[in-house]
Amino acid sequence: MAPTFLVVGATGNTGRNVVKMLSELRSNTTFADYKILALTRSSKGVVAQRLAQLPGVEVIEKNWVEITADWLRHHAIERAFIASHNEPDQFADESTFHLAALLAGVKYVVRISTTTANVHPTSLAYYPRSHWAIEALLSSPEFQALHWTSLQPNVFSSFVLAPAAQFVKNYRETGKQVPLKLMVSEDGPIGIIHADDVGTLAAHLLLEEDTTKHNQAKYNLNGPEDITGEQIVKMVEDQIGTKVKDVRYKDLSFLDEAAANYPSRKHHILSVKHAPETGWAGKCTASTTSKDVLELAAPKTTVAEVFKELVGGSK
């Protein structure tokens, strides 16, 4: 069986571009004969169907939390990408995957973490602590044989800009304004990043012949430029041709709604309100991006490009 790249979360925000870039770039490398195994929960989805058409890609349905060392050996997995869920049981699920990779002799894993400024053991938001714990696990002597890199991207630009884009769409349809709710602060600069740029970097890392340089690295990823809430409002106003009447910065009311829908997870969900605080404090700017990221595959997608895509047309 041909040696294989495994992409866990292949149809997700970052995974889809990992698959795409591996398919495009591997032909000019020593990995030209490697297969790309793309895992998804539904191979019938639109994204999965598109990925299945790419050269060297096989899409299969499998719940990644059930992956074992035997399964990895059977599929000749040598290098892997994983974008785990961030539910409260993340550590249990993702650590099991990494242990299986270690036991199966997988050579290199690239994983998705979260905002660098939040990944520490005293984070008030629950999920960055899980990422910290995974990185601590992988850094232990017992895992020395498994090379790994942890990507710590800032908040995704599509997530930050979605409310602004929807505001524009609603105004175009109705001519009426609703409150514009933004999770960013009015004047705190933040380097939001496009998920495709994260996926591109992951693919480049997976295609590195010598992973020693990147082993146990934790890379800070931000977009190529900073944006403030005030600047997002200006982008909206340029689209609708008038002033926004009601802007609500640092608005996290969507978390209150989510907590109400999942009462058993209320305390976890509400703790996420602390996650944006580092961004509000100016600790997540484009200037903090790791040097190695800029040298290998610097993020390029601008805020304006993302906003235009989300809005779906010019004013």
Side-chain angles (χ1 to χ4, degrees):
M1 184 175 291
T4 302
F5 292 108
L6 173 65
V7 179
V8 173
T11 55
N13 284 336
T14 54
R16 65 185 69 183
N17 211 43
V18 176
V19 176
K20 179 175 179 289
M21 297 306 296
L22 281 176
S23 179
E24 289 181 8
L25 299 174
R26 70 190 173 93
S27 59
N28 297 319
T29 72
T30 57
F31 302 98
D33 295 330
Y34 276 51
K35 286 175 52 181
I36 303 164
L37 194 61
L39 257 61
T40 178
R41 286 176 291 183
S42 175
S43 59
K44 297 179 181 178
V46 175
V47 175
Q49 290 293 314
R50 289 175 183 168
L51 294 179
Q53 301 303 312
L54 297 175
V57 175
E58 178 184 359
V59 175
I60 66 172
E61 289 186 14
K62 186 171 180 63
N63 187 344
W64 69 267
V65 302
E66 299 173 355
I67 287 175
T68 64
D70 286 342
W71 187 92
L72 292 168
R73 292 191 199 97
H74 175 75
H75 290 280
I77 306 300
E78 289 201 1
R79 298 187 174 201
F81 167 86
I82 179 169
S84 173
H85 62 76
N86 63 356
E87 299 295 327
D89 53 352
Q90 176 193 346
F91 180 82
D93 287 338
E94 191 178 345
S95 63
T96 298
F97 172 84
H98 293 302
L99 179 57
L102 175 69
L103 296 175
V106 174
K107 296 178 180 178
Y108 183 45
V109 173
V110 177
R111 67 176 299 273
I112 297 296
S113 180
T114 190
T115 308
T116 299
N118 291 340
V119 184
H120 54 82
T122 57
S123 169
L124 294 177
Y126 79 89
Y127 67 91
R129 296 196 303 272
S130 296
H131 283 295
W132 174 86
I134 290 290
E135 292 169 355
L137 173 93
L138 292 171
S139 299
S140 67
E142 291 84 354
F143 275 82
Q144 186 174 5
L146 177 64
H147 282 200
W148 59 276
T149 302
S150 194
L151 304 185
Q152 299 178 336
N154 201 345
V155 62
F156 291 141
S157 50
S158 58
F159 183 63
V160 171
L161 297 175
Q166 190 60 49
F167 181 97
V168 172
K169 291 178 180 180
N170 290 341
Y171 184 82
R172 287 175 177 173
E173 292 176 1
T174 67
K176 298 179 180 179
Q177 292 194 24
V178 295
L180 174 55
K181 300 177 181 181
L182 300 174
M183 65 180 293
V184 295
S185 65
E186 181 176 7
D187 54 4
I190 183 170
I192 58 178
I193 187 168
H194 196 288
D196 282 355
D197 286 337
V198 180
T200 296
L201 174 64
H204 276 82
L205 286 166
L206 288 167
L207 291 168
E208 287 278 281
E209 289 193 33
D210 184 5
T211 59
T212 305
K213 176 183 178 181
H214 306 289
N215 184 31
Q216 300 195 23
K218 291 171 275 189
Y219 289 143
N220 186 339
L221 283 73
N222 301 276
E225 61 189 351
D226 293 328
I227 190 75
T228 65
E230 184 179 24
Q231 289 172 319
I232 293 175
V233 172
K234 178 63 166 58
M235 292 169 63
V236 170
E237 292 175 341
D238 287 345
Q239 287 287 329
I240 66 175
T242 188
K243 290 287 185 182
V244 177
K245 298 176 181 178
D246 184 0
V247 183
R248 302 178 185 180
Y249 298 107
K250 299 183 180 180
D251 188 287
L252 303 176
S253 56
F254 63 94
L255 291 173
D256 294 317
E257 297 169 5
N261 291 329
Y262 297 96
S264 65
R265 298 297 191 191
K266 180 178 179 180
H267 56 298
H268 289 119
I269 294 172
L270 293 181
S271 77
V272 178
K273 287 189 174 186
H274 293 285
E277 291 173 351
T278 50
W280 299 341
K283 296 180 179 180
C284 307
T285 61
S287 64
T288 64
T289 298
S290 298
K291 179 181 177 182
D292 289 279
V293 171
L294 299 176
E295 293 176 348
L296 187 60
K300 297 179 180 179
T301 310
T302 66
V303 173
E305 290 171 335
V306 178
F307 191 61
K308 181 179 179 180
E309 178 184 355
L310 293 173
V311 168
S314 59
K315 60 181 179 180

